[in-house]
Amino acid sequence: MNKGTILVVDDEPINFKLLSVILEREGYAVEYADGGYRAVEMAEKFDYSLVIMDLKMPDLNGIEATKFIKKQKPNTNIVASSAVNNMKENEYMLFNDFLAKPINRGQLLEIVEKYTK
């Protein structure tokens, strides 16, 4: 049973692996973008149930990638993910929620279920 498709955007493949194991066990399909530019490209082509967006990436950071995605598809649910939460107030407005790293399984599932219904 597919509960929806989630795009995980992170320049660290191990973070994707962790999230995909948890989410796939819960019935979600999971796709991976290894950077901001790839995330924008993938989001333009497919309507994801949710995007989990790393904030710090070398090519295009999560805030800028989210701006591009929201410009094309304003109703896309995007959750920011980072070990350090130093976003400015106006940047918070871009995201539906925030997921702290290291990832807590309970918090992850709570957030995912909230935005994929």
Side-chain angles (χ1 to χ4, degrees):
M1 175 176 88
N2 184 342
K3 292 182 172 180
T5 303
I6 298 170
L7 176 62
V8 174
V9 185
D10 202 305
D11 59 320
E12 295 292 334
I14 191 71
N15 291 331
F16 165 70
K17 274 287 193 209
L18 171 69
L19 291 174
S20 66
V21 166
I22 294 169
L23 295 170
E24 286 173 353
R25 282 186 186 153
E26 296 296 321
Y28 296 95
V30 184
E31 295 188 8
Y32 176 56
D34 62 359
Y37 287 115
R38 181 78 179 123
V40 170
E41 184 180 287
M42 292 173 73
E44 285 178 353
K45 294 177 183 169
F46 187 81
D47 291 326
Y48 291 97
S49 304
L50 179 66
V51 176
I52 299 175
M53 180 73 71
D54 184 22
L55 293 179
K56 288 188 74 178
M57 294 179 287
D59 67 340
L60 180 67
N61 72 44
I63 292 167
E64 293 304 315
T66 297
K67 287 178 183 176
F68 280 114
I69 293 169
K70 289 285 192 172
K71 193 176 211 179
Q72 297 296 317
K73 295 184 176 180
N75 295 326
T76 302
N77 290 319
I78 303 177
V79 173
S81 179
S82 184
V84 180
N85 185 356
N86 58 359
M87 286 189 291
K88 297 177 181 88
E89 192 171 328
N90 63 330
E91 293 169 338
Y92 273 105
M93 305 298 285
L94 295 169
F95 299 95
N96 295 82
D97 220 317
F98 183 83
L99 183 62
K101 290 181 183 178
I103 300 298
N104 172 289
R105 184 181 183 281
Q107 182 191 24
L108 170 66
L109 294 177
E110 185 179 305
I111 286 173
V112 167
E113 288 172 13
K114 181 177 179 180
Y115 295 107
T116 57
K117 290 186 176 190

